[in-house]
Amino acid sequence: KGVIKMINPAKLLQFRKDWGEFENRHPKFVKFIGAVVQSGIGEDSVIDVCVTLPDGRKLESNMKLTAEDVEFIKGFGNIM
């Protein structure tokens, strides 16, 4: 696995500020993510992502969550 890095407190504070601004711009998306976590997302859940670029091209991907992914997602929600 990777090297453990120390958290830069200034960057963490900036991230929290940026996240708050993101929430203000996209409240439905943030509520959607909360609903996903509350619904019991678990191991073997699949997250599909599709991005439509301004020129109409679509980029798509997906990932099947591991138990570690689920714990990370739940932990991430606790720091927000």
Side-chain angles (χ1 to χ4, degrees):
K1 308 263 173 165
V3 175
I4 297 175
K5 295 182 179 181
M6 298 301 294
I7 294 175
N8 179 327
K11 286 187 178 186
L12 182 59
L13 288 173
Q14 181 63 46
F15 176 80
R16 289 193 67 133
K17 178 184 173 289
D18 294 344
W19 180 257
E21 292 172 4
F22 180 84
E23 282 182 301
N24 288 334
R25 288 189 307 272
H26 308 287
K28 290 181 182 179
F29 180 75
V30 174
K31 286 182 181 181
F32 170 76
I33 297 300
V36 168
V37 172
Q38 290 296 320
S39 70
I41 191 170
E43 185 174 3
D44 294 331
S45 294
V46 176
I47 296 176
D48 292 304
V49 178
C50 176
V51 175
T52 304
L53 301 174
D55 65 6
R57 287 181 297 146
K58 290 188 177 190
L59 303 173
E60 299 176 352
S61 186
N62 65 52
M63 64 180 152
K64 184 184 260 185
L65 299 179
T66 65
E68 294 85 3
D69 297 330
V70 173
E71 289 306 309
F72 173 76
I73 291 168
K74 289 179 180 176
F76 183 73
N78 291 333
I79 66 169
M80 300 313 296

